Amino acid sequence: MKKGNLNRVKEVLLKSRSILITTHVNPDGDGISSELALYLFLKKIGKEVVVTNRDPVPEMFAFLPGVDEIHVSEQPPGNPDLIIVTDCGGLERTGLKIPEPCNPKVIVIDHHLTNDQNGEINLLDHEASATGELVYHLIKEMEKDCPAKMDYPIALCLYTAIFTDTGSFRYSNTTPEALAIASKLVSYGINSWTVAEQVYESKPYATLKLTGRFLQTLGISPKGRFAWGSIVKEDFQKTGTREEHTDGLVNYPRSIRGVEVAVFFREMDSEQVKISMRSKGEVNVAAIAEKLGGGGHHNAAGCIMKGSLKEVRKKVLRMVAESLQDEVPEEDSVEVCG
Ligand code: 5GP
Ligand code: MN
C-alpha cells in the first residue's frame, strides 16, 4: 500500500460532507466488517454516512456492531459526494445504481489481485490479508487528526474481517502483519472464541442438511488433482436454505488429500451458474476466473457464467484440467444432483 494514498484517502474523507460506503454483491465477512468499521469511525467523528449494499448480510454476521443500520437496496439514499467501495475493484461489482445527477468521487479500498484500479483514489494492497487490514491502517491514520479513537465495536469488525479472510488464520495470507494487527485488535477486548462461535459454530440445522446434499455430488479428476461439487436450486427448496448457506462448501472438495484445485458450482437459474474456486498449490485460480469474466485472489476466486450447470461445469473442469496437466473426467462420472 502506498503511504501517500493513505494520506490522500484520509484528506478526502475528512473533507467530505456526505459519504456512502458499500461492498461487493453477495457480501462476505471482510466486505461487511470493513465497511462497518469505517462507518462506525466516521459516525464517531460526526460525518453524515450510510452503508448501502445490494444484498443482505448473511445471518452469520448479524452480531457485528452497526449491522442493523445497513440499507439493503440497489438505490442508495441521499446524494453522496463520496462513495467508498470496499473489498472489490469498483462500483460495477457492488450492483448499486447511482442516480445520474450524482457525481460523487469514488475511493476503492481493496486487496484483490484482479483490481483494475477503477476508483479515483485506490487504496490497494494485494498482499494485505483482508480489506480490514487496510481499513485498520486508515483508521489509525485518521486517529492522528481526530478526537475519535478506535474502540471495541470497531476492533470487533476489523478482527472479524481478518479472521474470516484468513480462514481463521489458516491460509497463506496469515502474514506477520495480519497476526500483528489481529493481536492489536484483540487488545481492545475481543474474545476470539466468541467471534469463532458466531461465525462458524452457530449454523442453522438446515445448513448441514444442504451440506449433506452437496457431499453427494462430489467428484474427483482421474489423477486426483482437482475435485468439485454442485448445488442446484432444488437443494435450497428441499432444505429451506438460501445461497448464503453455501458459504464454505467449496472447502470440502479442497480438503481431499492430493487435490490442488476445488470448484464449487451453484445453479442460479437455468441459464446462470456461480463458480467458486479454491487452490492450495501453485495454481492461480484468479487467472482462471479472470478468463471467465470474474476475479479474486491466487488461492480463492470466482465468477458467474452463462449456460446450464452441465455446460458450465464441462467448460470449467476442462480449463482446470489443463492448468493442472490432469484430465477431464468422463462425462458420465460427472454427477448432476437433483
Ligand atoms: P467466493 O468464491 O467466496 O465467492 O469468492 C472468492 C474470491 O473471489 C473473493 O475474494 C471474491 O471477491 C472473488 N470473486 C468471487 N466471484 C467473483 C466475481 O464474479 N468477480 C470478481 N471480480 N471476483 C469474484
Ligand atoms: Mn476480502
Side-chain angles (χ1 to χ4, degrees), residues 11-316:
E11 277 162 24
V12 173
L13 272 176
L14 296 181
K15 262 193 240 150
S16 296
R17 182 187 47 80
S18 168
I19 303 165
L20 167 70
I21 309 177
T22 187
T23 186
H24 50 84
V25 290
N26 302 317
D28 62 1
D30 186 25
I32 293 161
S33 305
S34 295
E35 54 182 6
L36 283 176
L38 206 48
Y39 168 74
L40 294 172
F41 188 83
L42 292 173
K43 244 180 39 165
K44 268 183 105 165
I45 62 172
K47 289 286 170 193
E48 189 188 308
V49 52
V50 289
V51 181
T52 304
N53 295 335
R54 193 197 70 176
D55 295 322
V57 174
E59 254 169 69
M60 66 206 283
F61 300 116
F63 71 100
L64 289 170
V67 84
D68 294 338
E69 288 156 53
I70 296 180
H71 293 250
V72 178
S73 167
E74 275 187 351
Q75 233 102 37
N79 185 1
D81 54 0
L82 174 67
I83 303 182
I84 304 179
V85 178
T86 65
D87 200 40
C88 64
L91 269 178
E92 207 184 302
R93 273 268 292 152
T94 68
L96 293 191
K97 295 199 173 99
I98 308 299
E100 281 292 327
C102 295
N103 193 15
K105 261 198 168 58
V106 178
I107 292 180
V108 170
I109 307 180
D110 186 29
H111 69 134
H112 288 88
L113 205 53
T114 49
N115 186 301
D116 300 330
Q117 313 217 359
N118 281 329
E120 266 142 284
I121 311 175
N122 298 284
L123 191 58
L124 304 179
D125 184 356
H126 65 81
E127 286 174 7
S129 65
T131 299
E133 253 192 49
L134 303 177
V135 174
Y136 172 85
H137 289 303
L138 180 59
I139 291 178
K140 282 285 154 193
E141 194 57 43
M142 287 194 286
E143 270 188 346
K144 294 178 190 164
D145 298 323
C146 304
K149 299 286 168 245
M150 175 96 70
D151 55 14
Y152 172 80
I154 296 173
L156 179 60
C157 293
L158 294 176
Y159 178 87
T160 304
I162 298 173
F163 179 71
T164 53
D165 255 26
T166 57
S168 326
F169 306 112
R170 281 180 300 147
Y171 302 150
S172 57
N173 59 351
T174 310
T175 56
E177 179 71 358
L179 289 169
I181 296 174
S183 157
K184 286 182 189 132
L185 293 168
V186 168
S187 72
Y188 285 88
I190 310 296
N191 179 327
S192 59
W193 166 247
T194 305
V195 179
E197 185 181 24
Q198 292 285 352
V199 177
Y200 298 119
E201 308 280 342
S202 307
K203 291 191 178 88
Y205 175 70
T207 301
L208 297 198
K209 289 296 196 188
L210 183 74
T211 306
R213 294 178 74 95
F214 173 73
L215 294 177
Q216 296 288 331
T217 73
L218 288 189
I220 191 158
S221 64
K223 293 185 185 168
R225 301 183 72 181
F226 64 98
W228 63 91
S230 324
I231 287 287
V232 293
K233 286 195 85 150
E234 195 191 354
D235 294 321
F236 293 127
Q237 285 148 13
K238 287 259 160 74
T239 55
T241 49
R242 301 183 296 278
E243 43 182 87
E244 70 173 74
H245 300 112
T246 63
D247 185 68
L249 288 184
V250 66
N251 296 347
Y252 287 100
R254 190 191 53 194
S255 69
I256 302 166
R257 185 187 298 147
V259 163
E260 292 171 54
V261 173
V263 193
F264 168 60
F265 299 93
R266 174 168 64 80
E267 184 187 55
M268 296 169 74
D269 52 44
S270 57
E271 287 161 18
Q272 280 196 104
V273 180
K274 159 84 182 140
I275 291 127
S276 286
M277 286 185 256
R278 299 291 185 268
S279 81
K280 58 181 179 191
E282 293 303 306
V283 181
N284 179 3
V285 284
I288 302 177
E290 213 174 357
K291 278 190 205 152
L292 299 169
H297 308 279
H298 191 278
N299 295 120
C303 59
I304 291 173
M305 286 174 73
K306 290 232 176 298
S308 70
L309 177 60
K310 211 169 169 182
E311 289 159 2
V312 166
R313 189 161 42 194
K314 199 168 158 192
K315 186 170 175 191
V316 174

